[in-house]
Every structure is written in structure tokens, then in C-alpha cells.
């Protein structure tokens, strides 16, 4: 089977990721030759608009960069994250700052399609997912990956035929998938996002709006990631796929959408009561950080990118008013208009509204004014945990 090229690599951040986008508005054109190795971890929209005039300035090193030094003999690690809606693979080598990305792959598979109603992974969804996993296996074999960890999340946790599906994956691809708990998923996502946490705040709320679930993590921030403390973790069986199936056409009607958001706020309220976040947010003590296709898509639409670009999205800080404006724009658009946006596309056009509803409920319940966008999560957390374990083993 030939490897995907062109548009199929739209959300990958390998070598092609660093090509300059000459169609970007002048205010957003970055000097990509300098961006290859240095990326500021925090960027507001206004900062992005001034980068060109300021000569791009000094940037601190990011944990991930887009190209591999082919002369490097560092071992290659792989992390595969199979979610309810997406299949994602990341291959990287360790370096002093974390790791350097060699290759990335992402494919919408909708493994959990129909799961909310049937309790089963459908045959059509399984076949789509197996096709994506075969391509992942090809990349792993071609790159001679030293260590690979492949994890499955909410869809496989909920499906009554989840174990049979994992067996078929092994038989068809040779990949060994492990279904991880919701708590482990949340902690891996937190580990992957740690470089974007703003330690001037004593607390952070990290949330991951997935296809089949939404993870919420209350973090007490230390001076370093090693000193961070996870105080509360909850996983709600509510994601963009499951909500789209449950709510149906209500999401596309003004009154129906508003009622869905109201219900979501009530479903989130028990976590608010357990975590005590409300008073902390009111006092300005909490950083809000979102990692998911929903928040990265909204960021791409907000920047009006002609093509999704991780370098511009990851670490972007958006005002809540900007989030609300983009959500309203997408909710009131029809499916065709959403599909035509290059940061959404046809495969995400019907799910982004469900994501907007979940995000709006989060922003309403915890009005922190600003949201940090992360295009990183479970895969990055898996990679870092494997590399750290190997470093500790080498020292012992």
C-alpha cells in the first residue's frame, strides 16, 4: 500500500511542515528558516501580528521541532494514540530539551461512530481504522523504531467488542494496542502539555475534548513539571462524536444548541464542586489549557490560516471573546461552509459544532478570560515517559 502524500499529510508536522505559506496575510508570515529550531511557547494573536515587524525576535527552544538531523544516531521512539475519532502516530528521537520529531501521521477514522447507540465498534469503522493502522505499522517498520507504545482510549474502553478489535489489529498489522484507563490518558495528556503550562499561575485546568470523552485535570503547579501535583482528574463519557450522535440536529438550531450547552454545564458542575475551581478562577489563579482537535481547529480558523499549521497554533493564547466569536461563526455556518475552511475540511465539518458546544460550556463555567491552545497531548506524553524511563534505567 503506497504511503499517503499531499493533502493526506495535512496535519502532520514533518519536513513539509516548514515550507513558507506565501498566501498567509502579511501580518502572520513568520521567518520559517529561523522557526525550524526555535519557537516561543506562548503567543497571543497580537504577538503573532507583530512578529514580522519585530524580526521574529528571540525564541526559546520548543520540545518539538519539525526535522530530524539525519546524521544523528539517537534511538527512535514511537507513540501511537488511537482515539474515538483519530489515529495519530508520532516518531521522535530524544534530545536535551525533550525530543525532536522525525515523522508524524494523523488520520480521522471515527472508530467510535455509532458506539453510543449500539455499544459496539461497527465493521465499517473497524475497517477504516485498520487501514490507518497499517499505514502506521509501515512507518514504524520503515523507520526501524526502537521502542513503540500504542494506546487505545475511550472507544475501546466502552465497546463490548473492544478486546476482539485489539486482536484483529494485531493479526492485521502486528501492532500491540493497550487500552489505557481514563486517568492514565489524562496524565499522559498532561505530561505532553507540560511545556505550555504558565508557572506564574498556581493552578491549571487542562482539558482534552476527545471523540468519545472529555478529560479534565486540576493541576497544582510547581516551579518545574516534576513538582506539579495532579489534584483532581475526571473523565466524562462525552466527546465530539458521542455528543453529535446524542444531540443530533439540535446542535444545528439556535435554541437546541443553547439547551445542549446548558446541559453540558450541568454535567461539568460536579467536577467544579469537587475541584473547587470556581473561586480560584474568579481570583485569577488558574491557567486554562485545552488540547484537542476542537481547540486547535478554532485557533486555525481564528488565525484565518490557508492551511493548518501547527507552528502557528501550538501555544497560541486566545481571549475568551475570540473563542466565543469563532464558535458563533461555526455554529451559524452550514455544513458546506464549514467544510470549505482549510482548517476544518469535510471530515470534521459535522463534529466541530459538537466540540464548540463542549468548549463553550467549559468557558462559561470557568470564565478565566484566556485559553492556551495545545497541539500536543497523549502521544507526546507517551514519548516523554518512555524516554525518561530509559534514561533512569541507564543510570541505574
Amino acid at each position: 500500500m503506497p504511503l499517503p502524500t499531499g493533502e493526506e499529510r495535512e496535519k502532520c508536522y514533518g519536513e513539509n511542515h516548514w515550507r513558507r505559506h506565501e498566501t498567509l496575510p502579511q501580518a502572520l508570515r513568520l521567518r520559517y528558516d529561523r522557526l525550524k529550531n526555535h519557537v516561543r511557547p506562548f503567543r497571543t494573536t497580537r504577538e503573532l501580528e507583530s512578529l514580522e515587524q519585530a524580526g521574529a525576535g528571540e525564541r526559546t527552544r520548543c520540545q518539538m521541532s519539525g526535522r530530524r538531523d539525519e546524521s544523528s544516531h539517537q534511538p527512535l521512539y514511537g507513540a501511537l494514540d488511537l482515539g474515538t475519532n483519530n489515529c495519530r502516530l508520532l516518531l521522535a528521537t530524544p534530545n536535551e530539551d525533550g525530543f525532536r520529531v522525525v515523522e508524524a501521521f494523523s488520520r480521522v477514522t471515527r472508530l467510535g461512530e455509532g458506539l453510543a447507540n449500539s455499544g459496539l465498534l461497527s465493521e465499517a469503522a473497524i475497517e477504516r481504522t485498520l487501514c490507518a493502522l497499517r499505514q502506521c505499522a509501515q512507518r514504524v517498520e520503515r523507520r526501524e523504531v526502537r521502542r513503540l507504545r500504542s494506546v487505545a482510549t475511550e472507544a475501546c474502553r466502552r465497546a463490548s467488542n473492544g478486546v476482539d478489535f485489539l486482536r484483529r489489529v494485531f493479526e492485521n498489522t502486528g501492532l500491540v494496542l493497550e487500552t489505557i484507563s481514563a486517568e492514565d490518558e489524562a496524565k499522559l495528556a498532561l505530561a505532553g502539555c507540560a511545556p505550555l503550562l504558565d508557572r506564574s499561575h498556581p493552578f491549571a485546568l487542562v482539558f482534552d475534548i476527545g471523540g468519545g470523552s472529555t478529560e479534565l485535570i486540576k493541576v497544582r503547579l510547581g516551579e518545574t513539571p516534576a513538582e506539579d501535583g495532579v489534584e483532581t482528574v475526571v473523565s466524562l463519557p462525552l466527546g465530539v462524536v458521542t455528543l453529535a450522535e446524542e444531540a443530533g440536529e439540535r446542535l444545528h438550531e439556535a435554541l437546541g444548541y443553547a439547551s445542549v450547552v446548558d446541559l453540558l454545564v450541568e454535567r461539568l458542575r460536579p467536577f467544579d464542586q469537587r475541584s473547587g475551581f470556581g473561586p480560584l478562577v474568579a481570583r485569577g489563579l488558574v491557567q486554562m489549557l485545552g488540547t484537542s482537535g476542537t481547540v486547535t481547529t478554532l485557533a486555525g480558523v481564528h488565525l484565518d490560516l490557508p492551511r493548518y499549521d501547527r507552528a502557528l497554533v501550538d501555544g497560541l493564547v486566545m481571549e475568551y471573546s475570540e473563542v466565543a466569536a469563532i464558535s458563533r461563526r461555526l455554529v451559524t455556518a452550514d455544513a458546506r461552509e464549514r467544510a470549505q475552511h482549510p482548517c476544518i475540511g469535510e471530515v470534521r465539518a459535522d463534529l466541530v459544532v459538537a466540540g464548540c458546544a463542549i468548549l463553550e460550556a467549559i468557558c462559561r463555567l470557568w470564565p478565566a478570560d484566556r485559553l492556551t491552545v495545545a497541539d500536543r497531548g497523549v502521544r507526546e506524553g507517551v514519548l516523554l515517559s518512555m524516554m525518561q524511563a530509559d534514561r533512569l534505567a541507564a543510570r541505574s
Side-chain angles (χ1 to χ4, degrees):
M1 181 181 297
L3 296 178
T5 58
E7 293 183 359
E8 292 182 328
R9 294 186 178 182
E10 179 177 348
K11 294 199 73 173
C12 293
Y13 36 102
E15 182 174 354
N16 290 337
H17 164 76
W18 299 108
R19 292 178 180 170
R20 288 185 62 135
H21 298 308
E22 296 301 335
T23 55
L24 276 174
Q26 180 66 31
L28 292 179
R29 288 185 185 171
L30 297 179
R31 297 184 179 182
Y32 273 71
D33 54 327
R34 299 183 65 182
L35 187 59
K36 288 178 183 178
N37 293 316
H38 299 281
V39 180
R40 275 193 66 188
F42 296 96
R43 298 183 302 276
T44 65
T45 305
R46 287 182 291 275
E47 286 173 327
L48 278 170
E49 291 174 346
S50 65
L51 278 176
E52 187 68 21
Q53 295 158 335
E58 290 296 321
R59 299 183 179 91
T60 57
R61 185 178 297 273
C62 181
Q63 277 199 307
M64 288 165 285
S65 61
R67 306 179 80 175
R68 183 186 185 189
D69 180 0
E70 297 299 336
S71 64
S72 172
H73 297 291
Q74 290 282 3
L76 189 61
Y77 292 75
L80 192 157
D81 172 20
L82 180 61
T84 302
N85 195 49
N86 289 277
C87 174
R88 300 183 178 97
L89 174 70
L90 194 62
L91 306 180
T93 57
N95 64 19
E96 60 182 7
D97 299 312
F99 58 80
R100 182 180 294 273
V101 172
V102 173
E103 185 171 353
F105 171 84
S106 179
R107 179 65 52 83
V108 174
T109 63
R110 299 202 181 189
L111 176 62
E113 187 175 53
L115 176 61
N117 296 321
S118 69
L120 294 168
L121 303 176
S122 71
E123 187 59 31
I126 288 173
E127 286 299 327
R128 288 195 301 267
T129 305
L130 287 175
C131 179
L133 289 171
R134 289 188 194 101
Q135 295 187 42
C136 291
Q138 289 174 357
R139 286 165 164 75
V140 169
E141 183 177 5
R142 173 169 54 86
R143 292 284 190 176
E144 299 180 349
V145 173
R146 171 183 167 179
R147 285 194 63 187
L148 172 71
R149 186 182 181 193
S150 305
V151 300
T153 56
E154 182 66 13
C156 291
R157 286 196 293 262
R158 294 181 62 182
S160 58
N161 59 341
V163 174
D164 290 337
F165 167 69
L166 298 185
R167 176 183 51 78
R168 287 182 62 178
V169 169
F170 177 72
E171 292 173 351
N172 281 268
T173 69
L175 296 171
V176 179
L177 276 169
E178 59 173 305
T179 302
I180 59 175
S181 69
E183 184 173 356
D184 285 343
E185 179 183 359
K187 289 180 177 179
L188 286 169
L190 173 61
C193 294
L196 295 180
L197 293 173
D198 181 359
R199 300 185 183 280
S200 66
H201 292 80
F203 296 95
L205 172 57
V206 179
F207 62 90
D208 182 357
I209 304 172
S213 64
T214 294
E215 279 67 48
L216 300 158
I217 315 167
K218 178 185 179 182
V219 186
R220 181 184 289 274
L221 296 176
E223 293 184 2
T224 67
E227 298 174 309
D228 292 345
V230 176
E231 295 197 348
T232 311
V233 178
V234 67
S235 178
L236 300 177
L238 184 73
V240 296
V241 175
T242 51
L243 180 61
E245 293 178 354
E246 288 178 12
E249 288 303 312
R250 283 190 297 157
L251 285 170
H252 304 286
E253 303 166 355
L255 292 178
Y257 178 87
S259 68
V260 169
V261 173
D262 290 340
L263 290 172
L264 292 173
V265 169
E266 294 309 310
R267 294 179 72 170
L268 291 169
R269 203 173 295 282
F271 173 78
D272 180 56
Q273 295 169 345
R274 282 178 55 194
S275 65
F277 254 130
L280 296 175
V281 170
R283 293 164 57 193
L285 302 178
V286 178
Q287 178 196 10
M288 301 290 289
L289 189 149
T291 168
S292 69
T294 295
V295 295
T296 57
T297 296
L298 263 64
V301 174
H302 169 64
L303 295 175
D304 200 23
L305 299 179
R307 179 183 177 91
Y308 183 85
D309 190 327
R310 179 188 174 277
L312 294 173
V313 168
D314 185 51
L316 180 74
V317 179
M318 294 180 64
E319 304 290 337
Y320 268 27
S321 59
E322 295 171 331
V323 174
I326 296 301
S327 293
R328 285 193 298 269
R329 173 179 162 188
L330 295 179
V331 169
T332 56
D334 59 33
R336 181 179 178 183
E337 290 171 329
R338 291 192 297 270
Q340 288 176 339
H341 196 287
C343 291
I344 300 175
E346 191 172 340
V347 294
R348 297 181 180 85
D350 61 336
L351 298 179
V352 70
V353 175
C356 287
I358 297 172
L359 181 58
E360 185 171 333
I362 290 172
C363 292
R364 183 188 300 180
L365 191 56
W366 299 294
D369 295 333
R370 305 177 90 198
L371 170 67
T372 302
V373 178
D375 188 348
R376 57 179 84 195
V378 171
R379 293 180 305 174
E380 290 79 4
V382 169
L383 284 174
L384 290 169
S385 64
M386 287 192 296
M387 293 173 183
Q388 182 180 26
D390 281 358
R391 283 194 296 268
L392 292 174
R395 293 171 187 166
S396 62

